[in-house]
Amino acid sequence: LEECEIRPFNNVENAAFGFDVLFPCTKMNLEKLVEATAGHRLVKADLVAKANELRIQISNLWTKMLKDQDDLQEYLSLYKGFTKSTIDELEGKLKELKLERKQKMKELILASRVALDELWTRCCYTDEQRSQFKPYYVNHYTEDVLDLHELEVERLQFFFEEHKHIYQLAARHEELWERLLHLEEQAKSSDRLFKNRGGQLLQEEKERKLVQKKLPTIKKELTSLLEQYKNTTGSDFLYFGEPLLELLEQKEEERKATKENEKLQRKAANVEALQLESRMGVRPATTIAGGKRKLLTPQSSNVNREEAAALRKRMQSPSRQGCSTFVPRTPASKTPVPRTPAPKTPMPRTPAASDLNNGAHEHDEQ
């Protein structure tokens, strides 16, 4: 009775709670004593529940009004019990806060909208999803509008905390996925061998293997949570407006399609290079260690060194979509300058063998 600030009403209650009164121990009096004790226990339980409910309402309203939490704890520490005077004080404080809330209606609505923006971002909402909450866009500030804002804030806070692990795994998976694509793109660079300082290529390869090892583990755990969510709610877990489970599968398919497309492009580039070599009259390209193509020196005299270098560069590029036909440049013809013929000097005649023989006969006759 002292805890509840209640005084006994009759001799039975006085006797039940230890007051010095004349109380005959008859069967009827004992039954009344038990009944009075049980009744006061119920009264105490009601007072405790009412006091706790008032404290909860005060705390919620205090938080919604963005008041200092230290001041709240200090106030509640002054009124810990559940006596009638304590309950009266708590009820008065709650009325005071509600009146202050009405006076700051516009300020509180705008603050709720800021909280909604943060929660929408954390829950990965699209603009279309945000636009579904119509009270956010009204220009009048009433108590009903404020109530709707506060309810939406509470709903999103609860949803995010309940599925916080899904958001964390999704963000981690996306981070590792982007890193994997970046490492694979770096591996395609033709000049990466010349930038291998401090074992950079080895480090990139180790990182790529580590990422490829972590991704399946994260995806497996995330898929399990998403399937559990769908079985519980009957709907897909949306991530930026799309079912997250479908987004994971779509990423895998796009990566496979990209790799297949690059493979076909390299094959087409090699075929086109061989065709160009055949049309230009050069010997087929040979393959050296490492799978790189090495072009031999063209045999045609019409192809100069600059054109041959440009041709090699174009043929060694695996990502080119097409290659224009190379036409060897024919040197411009030069018009010969007419020359004045030099005068011909008669050459001395060498005597023939018959002349020598005739001379010998004449000498014999003499």
Side-chain angles (χ1 to χ4, degrees):
L1 290 178
E2 292 179 357
E3 291 178 343
C4 301
E5 294 182 350
I6 298 176
R7 291 185 173 276
F9 294 102
N10 49 43
N11 289 337
V12 175
E13 292 183 354
N14 284 326
F17 297 103
F19 292 96
D20 188 12
V21 295
L22 181 62
F23 185 74
C25 292
T26 63
K27 182 179 180 180
M28 182 181 296
N29 286 341
L30 291 177
E31 290 177 353
K32 291 181 179 180
L33 183 61
V34 172
E35 183 179 352
T37 303
H40 281 287
R41 286 177 179 172
L42 293 176
V43 171
K44 179 181 177 180
D46 290 340
L47 292 175
V48 171
K50 186 175 183 179
N52 290 335
E53 179 63 23
L54 288 171
R55 292 188 181 95
I56 292 174
Q57 292 182 17
I58 290 173
S59 299
N60 291 338
L61 199 54
W62 199 290
T63 302
K64 291 177 181 178
M65 295 177 63
L66 307 177
K67 299 174 74 68
D68 191 353
Q69 293 296 315
D70 293 336
D71 294 340
L72 172 63
Q73 297 302 323
E74 182 180 355
Y75 173 79
L76 294 178
S77 65
L78 298 176
Y79 303 96
K80 294 182 178 180
F82 47 87
T83 62
K84 187 177 183 302
S85 60
T86 299
I87 291 176
D88 291 341
E89 171 61 30
L90 294 175
E91 288 177 341
K93 190 64 175 180
L94 183 60
K95 291 180 181 179
E96 179 184 338
L97 290 174
K98 288 182 178 180
L99 180 60
E100 184 180 355
R101 179 173 179 264
K102 290 182 179 180
Q103 295 173 351
K104 297 182 178 180
M105 197 72 64
K106 181 177 180 179
E107 179 182 348
L108 295 175
I109 290 176
L110 295 178
S112 297
R113 289 176 178 175
V114 173
L116 278 177
D117 286 332
E118 295 177 357
L119 288 169
W120 282 338
T121 301
R122 294 169 67 183
C123 294
C124 304
Y125 268 36
T126 61
D127 292 338
E128 183 179 357
Q129 289 176 293
R130 300 182 185 201
S131 64
Q132 294 177 2
F133 183 67
K134 304 301 182 183
Y136 183 91
Y137 304 96
V138 299
N139 295 324
H140 53 276
Y141 306 97
T142 63
E143 189 172 0
D144 292 337
V145 174
L146 178 57
D147 290 338
L148 292 174
H149 278 74
E150 291 175 348
L151 289 174
E152 184 67 8
V153 169
E154 292 177 1
R155 184 187 72 83
L156 289 176
Q157 286 176 340
F158 179 79
F159 182 85
F160 179 80
E161 292 299 328
E162 186 179 11
H163 305 100
K164 188 175 183 179
H165 193 44
I166 293 180
Y167 286 109
Q168 291 175 343
L169 288 176
R172 181 58 176 163
H173 183 276
E174 186 174 0
E175 178 185 356
L176 291 176
W177 185 263
E178 293 298 328
R179 185 57 183 167
L180 176 62
L181 296 182
H182 176 71
L183 291 173
E184 290 180 344
E185 190 66 25
Q186 278 187 332
K188 302 174 188 176
S189 177
S190 58
D191 59 345
R192 61 194 299 262
L193 296 176
F194 303 99
K195 299 180 180 180
N196 186 24
R197 297 181 179 179
Q200 181 179 354
L201 295 181
L202 181 59
Q203 293 177 1
E204 291 179 359
E205 183 64 18
K206 288 182 178 180
E207 184 180 3
R208 185 181 64 82
K209 290 182 179 180
L210 181 62
V211 171
Q212 287 181 329
K213 182 179 179 180
K214 288 183 177 180
L215 273 174
T217 304
I218 295 177
K219 181 183 177 182
K220 182 179 179 181
E221 184 179 0
L222 185 56
T223 301
S224 177
L225 292 176
L226 294 175
E227 291 176 349
Q228 182 180 353
Y229 175 87
K230 187 172 184 178
N231 294 333
T232 303
T233 63
S235 59
D236 293 316
F237 187 91
L238 298 182
Y239 192 73
F240 292 105
E242 299 291 338
L244 181 54
L245 193 58
E246 294 182 6
L247 289 177
L248 297 178
E249 299 298 332
Q250 182 179 352
K251 286 182 178 180
E252 295 284 352
E253 294 176 359
E254 289 179 353
R255 179 167 174 259
K256 291 180 181 179
T258 300
K259 285 183 171 293
E260 185 65 23
N261 187 34
E262 291 175 353
K263 182 179 179 181
L264 294 176
Q265 288 182 2
R266 287 194 298 268
K267 184 177 180 180
N270 291 335
V271 172
E272 187 176 357
L274 292 175
Q275 292 176 351
L276 287 173
E277 292 168 359
S278 177
R279 288 199 300 267
M280 293 177 56
V282 296
R283 287 179 292 176
T286 59
T287 303
I288 61 176
K292 292 187 177 181
R293 296 174 59 82
K294 180 179 179 181
L295 294 178
L296 300 180
T297 306
Q299 301 298 318
S300 175
S301 59
N302 293 331
V303 181
N304 57 27
R305 292 184 178 180
E306 291 79 3
E307 293 167 343
L311 176 62
R312 292 192 194 98
K313 184 176 181 181
R314 290 163 56 191
M315 288 182 177
Q316 292 175 356
S317 176
S319 60
R320 62 194 180 94
Q321 299 294 329
C323 180
S324 59
T325 304
F326 176 79
V327 180
R329 186 176 61 183
T330 304
S333 59
K334 298 182 180 180
T335 305
V337 180
R339 297 181 180 180
T340 304
K344 295 183 179 181
T345 304
M347 298 295 294
R349 184 174 177 272
T350 303
S354 59
D355 295 338
L356 294 177
N357 292 332
N358 293 333
H361 287 301
E362 291 177 358
H363 180 72
D364 292 338
E365 290 176 357
Q366 291 177 0

